[in-house]
Amino acid sequence: MTTAPAPALDEVLRALDEVEDPELRRPITALGMVGDVALDGGRATVPIKLTVAGCPLKAEIQRRVAQAVSAVPGIETVHVTMDAMTDQERTGLRSGLSGGLARTSPFASDDSGTVVVAIASGKGGVGKSSIAANLAVILAGGGHSVGLLDADVYGYSIPRMMGVTRRAVMVDDLMMPVDAHGVRLMSVGFLTAEDSPVIWRGPMLHKALTNFVSDTYWDEPDFLVVDLPPGTGDVSLSVAQLLPKAAMVVVTTPQLAAQRVARRAAAMAERVDLAVAGVIENMSWFVAPDTGNAYEVFPGDGGESLSRELGVPLLGRIPLEPAVADAGDLGTPIVTSHPTSPAARALTACAAALVNALRPRAAAEG
Ligand SMILES: Nc1ncnc2c1ncn2[C@@H]1O[C@H](COP(=O)(O)OP(=O)(O)OP(=O)(O)O)[C@@H](O)[C@H]1O
Ligand SMILES: [Mg+2]
């Protein structure tokens, strides 16, 4: 019987180079998360320094490290110890991540390659958040890196729709978006205790949104989808200021009244100098879950006439389908849970039309 030669330290370190932090998506070695690795024959001891002591991804990081190191030939046991970074190490990491401690919107600068899409409507309950969540998941599924910013600070619903129950990790004062369904999310819901009322007003509100945009480690995604609150209030104005290159998508339902309200959102876009990329009509017809039969529920052609009026494309019409709401409640967007359902197909078509509508813009921005 021959015993394998004892592994060399640099083989173990090379294996650790392949381990990424699940949230920062960088090798843990580059993030300064690995302490002094000790080797004793086939026994490796790997000290890991977490960005925060109670890191919710602790177990996952531990699993990744143990798996990578135990794959090194000759390693028999791996002992992973977990500790937290010192304040100084954390500050170093934070400034390394954000390129200094500058507090500016990374999406406002001319060299930002991120296409920002804000989902708006003058009216509540028309499906903005459901559409924002599903579009983000579709874009991510198409191979793009995607951030989803829940700008509905009072009535946030993105965490539930995306199935996230944990809170966001802070590295020093930089917030880490939470990963779900391939999308990186940030929401007030990740910062406050569940169901506690959010009471920010005026300047505080603007400050909170500024934090979400500037003090979050978005890592230059291809797309940033922003879920706006209903109406054309302070939040929307703040968002326009922080994300001056955002294109707006206006959501309406078929009825004339909804269309009239949706028009207000478009008027606001104009006032704050944001482009409207298109209109999405939601709840356009009803799909019976038992028979699959389609029924017109709301009379009208709100999406069509609004898009004509605004001179922008109608990106699509989405049926009212109970599975959309169920999927949202269960935290798995319908495009993931029922990708072949009529609503999921319609949403997928909307995403394609949106990318198409944004293409000249993205190209012009280089
Ligand atoms: N196409 C659809 N079919 C069935 N249910 C839908 C559809 N679109 C949205 N819903 C449901 O309607 C409700 C409102 O949707 P959603 O929260 O997305 O709207 P919203 O415009 O973001 O609302 P708010 O203005 O309160 O933020 C949710 O329960 C959602 O699951
Ligand atoms: Mg909403």
Side-chain angles (χ1 to χ4, degrees), residues 149-154 156 158 186-188 205 209 212 226-229 235-236 239:
L149 168 62
D150 184 356
D152 193 349
V153 287
Y154 299 118
Y156 58 84
I158 291 293
M186 187 42 80
S187 169
V188 174
L205 186 68
L209 285 165
F212 280 174
V226 184
D227 181 26
L228 290 177
V235 171
S236 303
V239 167

Side-chain angles (χ1 to χ4, degrees), residues 18 32 92 102 117 131 134 142 156 197 212 229 238 253 262 281 314 316 331 333 343 346 354:
E18 300 300 315
V117 183
I131 290 172
N134 280 288
Y156 58 84
F212 280 174
S238 283
T253 54
E281 187 186 274
L314 176 63
L354 175 63

Side-chain angles (χ1 to χ4, degrees), residues 182-270:
V183 174
R184 311 187 69 187
L185 322 170
M186 187 42 80
S187 169
V188 174
F190 300 156
L191 304 176
T192 51
E194 199 165 355
D195 298 330
S196 73
V198 179
I199 45 165
W200 292 322
R201 293 267 178 265
M204 277 296 282
L205 186 68
H206 186 75
K207 174 90 181 46
L209 285 165
T210 308
N211 290 156
F212 280 174
V213 172
S214 309
D215 297 345
T216 295
Y217 180 60
W218 290 110
D219 201 18
E220 299 172 32
D222 298 329
F223 289 92
L224 179 72
V225 180
V226 184
D227 181 26
L228 290 177
T232 56
D234 291 350
V235 171
S236 303
L237 296 176
S238 283
V239 167
Q241 227 174 73
L242 291 162
L243 304 167
K245 298 200 292 176
M248 198 172 267
V249 169
V250 181
V251 180
T252 184
T253 54
Q255 306 100 300
L256 192 63
Q259 174 203 335
R260 211 175 288 137
V261 191
R263 198 182 296 138
R264 262 185 240 150
M268 179 203 69
E270 196 177 343

Side-chain angles (χ1 to χ4, degrees), residues 1-34:
M1 197 182 99
T2 56
T3 42
L9 185 61
D10 54 331
E11 285 178 78
V12 175
L13 294 179
R14 262 201 306 278
L16 287 166
D17 280 339
E18 300 300 315
V19 179
E20 286 195 344
D21 179 89
E23 233 154 21
L24 298 170
R25 299 188 184 177
R26 297 274 165 87
I28 55 171
T29 45
L31 294 169
M33 292 173 65
V34 180

Side-chain angles (χ1 to χ4, degrees), residues 20 42 89 109 183 285 308:
E20 286 195 344
E89 286 168 333
S109 107
V183 174
W285 67 93
R308 217 179 307 121

Side-chain angles (χ1 to χ4, degrees), residues 295-319:
Y295 302 90
E296 295 289 329
V297 189
F298 304 119
D301 65 345
E304 184 63 54
S305 57
L306 183 62
S307 71
R308 217 179 307 121
E309 199 176 305
L310 301 176
V312 298
L314 176 63
L315 302 171
R317 302 173 73 228
I318 303 162

Side-chain angles (χ1 to χ4, degrees), residues 11-364:
E11 285 178 78
V12 175
L13 294 179
R14 262 201 306 278
L16 287 166
D17 280 339
E18 300 300 315
V19 179
E20 286 195 344
D21 179 89
E23 233 154 21
L24 298 170
R25 299 188 184 177
R26 297 274 165 87
I28 55 171
T29 45
L31 294 169
M33 292 173 65
V34 180
D36 289 330
V37 176
L39 269 184
D40 177 9
R43 180 185 155 79
T45 304
V46 186
I48 295 296
K49 291 182 277 186
L50 298 168
T51 51
V52 281
C55 180
L57 298 165
K58 186 174 175 173
E60 173 61 17
I61 296 170
Q62 190 159 22
R63 191 192 64 75
R64 290 185 183 191
V65 169
Q67 188 179 26
V69 175
S70 51
V72 174
I75 292 290
E76 285 149 17
T77 58
V78 184
H79 182 53
V80 184
T81 63
M82 305 293 252
D83 202 351
M85 287 184 174
T86 63
D87 287 348
Q88 199 182 359
E89 286 168 333
R90 198 159 28 239
T91 305
L93 170 61
R94 189 244 190 269
S95 55
L97 287 174
S98 61
L101 296 165
R103 295 295 169 75
T104 52
S105 165
F107 305 110
S109 107
D110 280 341
D111 27 87
S112 164
T114 301
V115 177
V116 183
V117 183
I119 313 294
S121 172
K123 194 166 178 264
V126 294
K128 291 177 293 299
S129 303
S130 308
I131 290 172
N134 280 288
L135 288 182
V137 172
I138 295 163
L139 291 169
H144 301 286
S145 54
V146 183
L148 174 55
L149 168 62
D150 184 356
D152 193 349
V153 287
Y154 299 118
Y156 58 84
S157 52
I158 291 293
R160 180 179 49 82
M161 285 184 182
M162 296 290 279
V164 176
T165 49
R166 71 177 178 84
R167 303 180 63 167
V169 170
M170 308 279 298
V171 174
D172 205 15
D173 57 352
L174 187 67
M175 292 183 275
M176 297 298 125
V178 175
D179 215 294
H181 306 288
V183 174
R184 311 187 69 187
L185 322 170
M186 187 42 80
S187 169
V188 174
F190 300 156
L191 304 176
T192 51
E194 199 165 355
D195 298 330
S196 73
V198 179
I199 45 165
W200 292 322
R201 293 267 178 265
M204 277 296 282
L205 186 68
H206 186 75
K207 174 90 181 46
L209 285 165
T210 308
N211 290 156
F212 280 174
V213 172
S214 309
D215 297 345
T216 295
Y217 180 60
W218 290 110
D219 201 18
E220 299 172 32
D222 298 329
F223 289 92
L224 179 72
V225 180
V226 184
D227 181 26
L228 290 177
T232 56
D234 291 350
V235 171
S236 303
L237 296 176
S238 283
V239 167
Q241 227 174 73
L242 291 162
L243 304 167
K245 298 200 292 176
M248 198 172 267
V249 169
V250 181
V251 180
T252 184
T253 54
Q255 306 100 300
L256 192 63
Q259 174 203 335
R260 211 175 288 137
V261 191
R263 198 182 296 138
R264 262 185 240 150
M268 179 203 69
E270 196 177 343
R271 207 165 62 241
V272 295
D273 206 21
L274 294 188
V276 177
V279 171
I280 293 179
E281 187 186 274
N282 190 21
M283 312 192 180
S284 301
W285 67 93
F286 174 70
V287 180
D290 46 353
T291 59
N293 287 345
Y295 302 90
E296 295 289 329
V297 189
F298 304 119
D301 65 345
E304 184 63 54
S305 57
L306 183 62
S307 71
R308 217 179 307 121
E309 199 176 305
L310 301 176
V312 298
L314 176 63
L315 302 171
R317 302 173 73 228
I318 303 162
L320 185 71
E321 199 181 322
V324 174
D326 296 344
D329 287 341
L330 294 171
T332 309
I334 187 156
V335 293
T336 302
S337 65
H338 300 83
T340 59
S341 68
R345 284 180 199 275
L347 283 157
T348 306
C350 281
L354 175 63
V355 170
N356 214 16
L358 292 169
R359 191 160 286 144
R361 183 185 173 83

